[in-house]
Amino acid sequence: MLFKALLALFAVGILAALLSPLAQLRTGKLDAAGAMTARRHLSLSGLVVAIAVAAVSGFSFAGHAANVIAIALALIAAGVLVLYSFGTLPGVVGIATGLVAGVAWLLALLFCAMSLAFGNSPVTVALGDGMYCSESVYGFVTGDSGEETDLYQRYLIIDHTVYHQIHSDIYPNEPRPERARFASELARCQAGINLVYAAGAHPG
């Protein structure tokens, strides 16, 4: 219950920080320079929301480096919005929003930093007909370790994930219900990845 309450608190703080430029514009009390600043920050909100929605919907760039850059841009934009909400929302509301959204931003930054530090670039295998699969190995010194497997359809430079599975070495997990639907692709995926590893591209 406490965990859900904290998640709800973070969600409210993040939403308030994202909407703070719009709230400033709606007041109608900004001069030309202030309105321009609010619009620039609103565009940053749009960037953060677009990247977050794309990630949740399973869309990403075909290049691993491009995805890292996109996440970095989203984190920078979110950090700027946290600072903006501190100074523009009124009194206690601005302080509370800035603190809650700031903590959420720091946690996201920490998670991304740990993923980069303890993960590795995914091994990708082409399955034909525009279908690809990738496997990445992760591991934390004091926590979980395992592999993440993705099946995705590629449209030029955009990938759409159709199946995602995490196999933890520590925590038990069950295969997702749709695994049977992609059994053939997953078998070919694992065979291809094993060949890559056998050729010397070991995870780490």
Side-chain angles (χ1 to χ4, degrees):
M1 187 67 181
L2 178 60
F3 180 70
K4 290 182 178 180
L6 285 174
L7 283 180
L9 181 63
F10 282 146
V12 170
I14 292 167
L15 186 61
L18 289 172
L19 294 178
S20 58
L22 181 61
Q24 286 294 299
L25 287 170
R26 295 294 297 270
T27 62
K29 299 178 181 178
L30 299 177
D31 56 19
M36 180 64 70
T37 299
R39 290 191 187 96
R40 283 199 297 264
H41 283 79
L42 190 60
S43 67
L44 294 181
S45 294
L47 174 67
V48 173
V49 171
I51 292 175
V53 169
V56 170
S57 302
F59 289 95
S60 61
F61 290 109
H64 179 66
N67 291 315
V68 173
I69 292 171
I71 292 171
L73 288 175
L75 285 171
I76 292 170
V80 171
L81 288 167
V82 170
L83 294 176
Y84 182 79
S85 65
F86 257 120
T88 56
L89 294 178
V92 177
V93 174
I95 294 172
T97 296
L99 287 174
V100 173
V103 171
W105 179 80
L106 287 173
L107 290 173
L109 186 64
L110 178 62
F111 175 79
C112 291
M114 290 183 68
S115 296
L116 287 174
F118 297 103
N120 69 294
S121 297
V123 174
T124 302
V125 175
L127 303 177
D129 296 327
M131 182 76 77
Y132 290 78
C133 79
S134 67
E135 181 182 277
S136 56
V137 179
Y138 67 93
F140 301 103
V141 175
T142 59
D144 191 15
S145 62
E147 302 86 33
E148 289 189 57
T149 302
D150 289 287
L151 286 176
Y152 49 88
Q153 189 74 38
R154 178 163 294 173
Y155 305 96
L156 297 178
I157 62 170
I158 301 297
D159 291 336
H160 181 220
T161 300
V162 296
Y163 180 85
H164 175 77
Q165 180 72 46
I166 298 176
H167 175 264
S168 170
D169 296 329
I170 298 175
Y171 303 105
N173 51 22
E174 295 294 330
R176 292 177 57 181
E178 64 268 34
R179 182 179 178 86
R181 178 180 158 201
F182 298 106
S184 174
E185 289 86 350
L186 287 170
R188 286 187 287 132
C189 171
Q190 194 58 60
I193 288 172
N194 289 341
L195 286 175
V196 173
Y197 286 162
H202 296 283

